[in-house]
Amino acid sequence: MVSSKLEDGLIYNIKLSSVGAARVTGQDVVYEPSNMDLAMKLHYLRGIYYFDSQTFQDVTIYKIKEPMFIWFNYFYMTNGRFRRAESGRPYIKCNDCGVRFIEAQCDKTLEEWLEMKDTSLEKLLVSNQVLGPELAFSPPVLIQHTKFKCGGISLGLSWAHVLGDVFSATEFWNFLGKVVGGYQPPEPLNLAHSLTKANSTQTLQKIVDDPLSIKRVDPVEDHWIANASCKLESFSIHVTASKLGHLQSRIGIQGPFESLCAIIWQSISRIRDGPGPKVVTICKKGEEKKVALIGNTQVIGVVKVYDSIRDANPSELARLIKNEIIDERLKIDEAIEKEHGVSDVIVYGANLTFVSLDGADLYGFDWKGCKPNNVSYFIDGVGEAGTVLVLPDGPNDSEGRIVTMTLPEDEIMKLKNELNNEWSIA
């Protein structure tokens, strides 16, 4: 265990350990990420789940870790470590090395923490570790248990996006709650059949040009994070249900996600030089039934506009986002396959990127009948074009939305002013 201190004592008494599966996976078992998985390898999802003091009262760290042994029997690939084949293509060696477990304490009460509403401080509640530069020693999953002064708890999930999208991450996380509740998962899938040769598909048409939704970056080798060309900052705004209803009626009722995207897209256009951005990326839950335990199956598509965005009708922008997304998943698959899975690309922030968490069961985690009071997610590894993450502010879709934006630092105040002056939402 290692103990250290962060942010002048706000987070302190940090201890590190590992948790793995109760059962040995087997010898020479590997898990090969798909092409879509590898396209996301430079991105990371960070989730934070807040619980009041009653939820984990008198619950020891061992009692929290105990069900994880069974949990990881089922999600065995999350315990492994990345290696490279002779071709250079990454795969996971399922060697039961485990996930990293972090214990920490906070000098604030849970109420005081939530009142600060500081997105940058929230990052202290979840690991910011990335994969590499020594892939063989880098866990793709890290869990942080932070105890507040009042007895409240936060559980932070750091999830390498190469494992799967946010819908996979939340299913993975919620499965732990089922195990805590006494659910006995079935035997792991027959490992011989669960190993996937990257499901690149030979029926795809050959793509000459790169998809619009990805951007190539300088080679990262075994340190899986892209260097942004400018300093990026994150901030969040809370749009209440009543405010959201007002915005939708003003725009023409195109849906919460589409309405917020249209407003923010146009507002960003007005603070940037030029008529764009005329191409944005949209990521949302797909309609296809998920087959594998984990994976990147979310829709990744683009919306293109040929006229000036700053002068556009927000209702038309919302309509395009709802109905005119050009799905680029097949193109991305082919682009990664063409280079044998060794490409270094980003998706989030390659263009201005809007990500919907509608359909992710964020409040589905259940610890013996208790659910989180608040849930927060953000994305690391974003490119300089920026990313906007839209998630429900509670367990019901009819409630408001939390919008977390990661943008170049010099755009933050300008955007806040534009959103406040035009829409009264920042």
Side-chain angles (χ1 to χ4, degrees):
M1 289 190 172
V2 178
S3 181
S4 59
K5 209 168 187 180
L6 285 175
E7 293 292 322
D8 297 325
L10 258 184
I11 304 296
Y12 64 98
N13 199 24
I14 297 170
K15 300 173 183 177
L16 305 179
S17 58
S18 293
V19 186
R23 181 171 44 232
V24 175
T25 300
Q27 292 213 344
D28 300 320
V29 176
V30 299
Y31 175 87
E32 295 188 47
S34 71
N35 291 324
M36 286 300 298
D37 294 336
L38 293 176
M40 307 301 291
K41 75 179 185 186
L42 304 185
H43 299 302
Y44 300 85
L45 291 166
R46 320 289 193 191
I48 305 160
Y49 295 74
Y50 296 95
F51 300 86
D52 60 31
S53 57
Q54 284 74 38
T55 304
F56 289 93
Q57 190 172 17
D58 300 324
V59 178
T60 64
I61 291 295
Y62 177 76
K63 285 295 183 183
I64 293 173
K65 287 182 176 180
E66 192 174 28
M68 293 183 178
F69 301 123
I70 299 172
W71 183 35
F72 292 130
N73 283 343
Y74 197 63
F75 289 95
Y76 61 92
M77 69 292 291
T78 64
N79 282 246
R81 297 294 183 266
F82 275 92
R83 301 284 196 277
R84 287 189 186 271
E86 289 183 8
S87 65
R89 186 184 182 96
Y91 68 92
I92 296 176
K93 183 175 177 60
C94 300
N95 52 10
D96 302 315
C97 281
V99 306
R100 189 81 70 244
F101 191 91
I102 304 164
E103 301 167 50
Q105 291 179 265
C106 180
D107 198 35
K108 301 284 185 184
T109 66
L110 180 56
E111 184 178 5
E112 288 169 341
W113 183 273
L114 293 174
E115 283 178 353
M116 289 193 292
K117 297 179 181 178
D118 189 330
T119 306
S120 62
L121 285 179
E122 197 168 43
K123 295 184 177 185
L124 298 176
L125 302 180
V126 61
S127 174
N128 65 352
Q129 186 169 322
V130 302
L131 290 166
E134 293 181 283
L135 288 177
F137 298 101
S138 295
V141 175
L142 298 94
I143 297 168
Q144 180 169 328
H145 171 284
T146 305
K147 187 171 185 177
F148 293 91
K149 191 163 63 173
C150 61
I153 293 292
S154 71
L155 293 176
L157 171 66
S158 175
W159 174 267
H161 214 309
V162 67
L163 293 174
D165 53 34
V166 68
F167 307 101
S168 284
T170 52
E171 285 183 26
F172 163 80
W173 186 247
N174 294 345
F175 199 90
L176 171 60
K178 293 180 181 179
V179 173
V180 171
Y183 175 69
Q184 289 295 322
E187 291 291 315
L189 301 176
N190 184 326
L191 298 183
H193 295 293
S194 67
L195 311 182
T196 56
K197 240 345 188 186
N199 35 353
S200 67
T201 63
Q202 299 179 3
T203 58
L204 293 176
Q205 60 180 2
K206 293 297 179 183
I207 306 299
V208 177
D209 298 325
D210 275 345
L212 293 174
S213 53
I214 67 172
K215 177 184 176 183
R216 295 184 181 277
V217 298
D218 292 337
V220 300
E221 297 181 347
D222 285 345
H223 193 197
W224 289 2
I225 189 72
N227 293 319
S229 60
C230 62
K231 186 175 181 182
L232 300 171
E233 291 289 345
S234 297
F235 76 100
S236 296
I237 59 174
H238 179 210
V239 184
T240 64
S242 59
K243 185 65 181 178
L244 189 56
H246 174 71
L247 294 174
Q248 288 180 258
S249 63
R250 186 173 163 186
I251 287 178
I253 313 294
Q254 289 289 348
F257 175 67
E258 293 83 5
S259 298
L260 289 167
C261 290
I263 289 168
I264 295 168
W265 185 2
Q266 185 170 69
S267 297
I268 287 175
S269 176
R270 287 177 173 173
I271 67 168
R272 291 180 178 174
D273 294 331
K278 292 189 175 183
V279 177
V280 296
T281 300
I282 307 294
C283 300
K284 63 180 186 177
K285 188 174 185 178
E287 296 181 358
E288 303 88 347
K289 185 176 180 181
K290 192 160 70 74
V291 177
L293 276 180
I294 58 174
N296 284 280
T297 59
Q298 69 178 346
V299 172
I300 300 175
V302 296
V303 174
K304 295 192 287 186
V305 176
Y306 297 96
D307 298 321
S308 171
I309 301 299
R310 65 175 61 204
D311 300 322
N313 185 334
S315 179
E316 174 61 13
L317 295 180
R319 186 194 67 78
L320 291 172
I321 293 167
K322 186 171 183 130
N323 300 319
E324 303 293 337
I325 297 174
I326 303 168
D327 192 336
E328 293 214 312
R329 285 177 291 180
L330 294 182
K331 287 186 176 182
I332 295 171
D333 187 294
E334 178 64 22
I336 301 300
E337 176 65 15
K338 186 172 64 177
E339 296 185 355
H340 310 293
V342 300
S343 312
D344 293 324
V345 303
I346 59 170
V347 173
Y348 299 131
N351 306 306
L352 176 60
T353 305
F354 295 96
V355 185
S356 172
L357 267 59
D358 286 349
D361 193 4
L362 299 179
Y363 289 82
F365 180 84
D366 185 313
W367 184 275
K368 298 184 177 179
C370 297
K371 290 182 177 288
N373 297 345
N374 297 85
V375 177
S376 176
Y377 265 83
F378 60 91
I379 299 170
D380 272 346
V382 170
E384 58 268 21
T387 291
V388 178
L389 188 66
V390 181
L391 60 156
D393 70 352
N396 301 316
D397 286 340
S398 60
E399 298 183 26
R401 295 293 186 272
I402 302 294
V403 184
T404 299
M405 293 171 255
T406 302
L407 296 163
E409 184 182 38
D410 61 358
E411 293 183 353
I412 300 293
M413 285 309 301
K414 296 176 189 175
L415 180 58
K416 285 183 177 180
N417 291 336
E418 178 67 26
L419 290 171
N420 193 46
N421 292 339
E422 187 66 26
W423 301 97
S424 304
I425 60 170

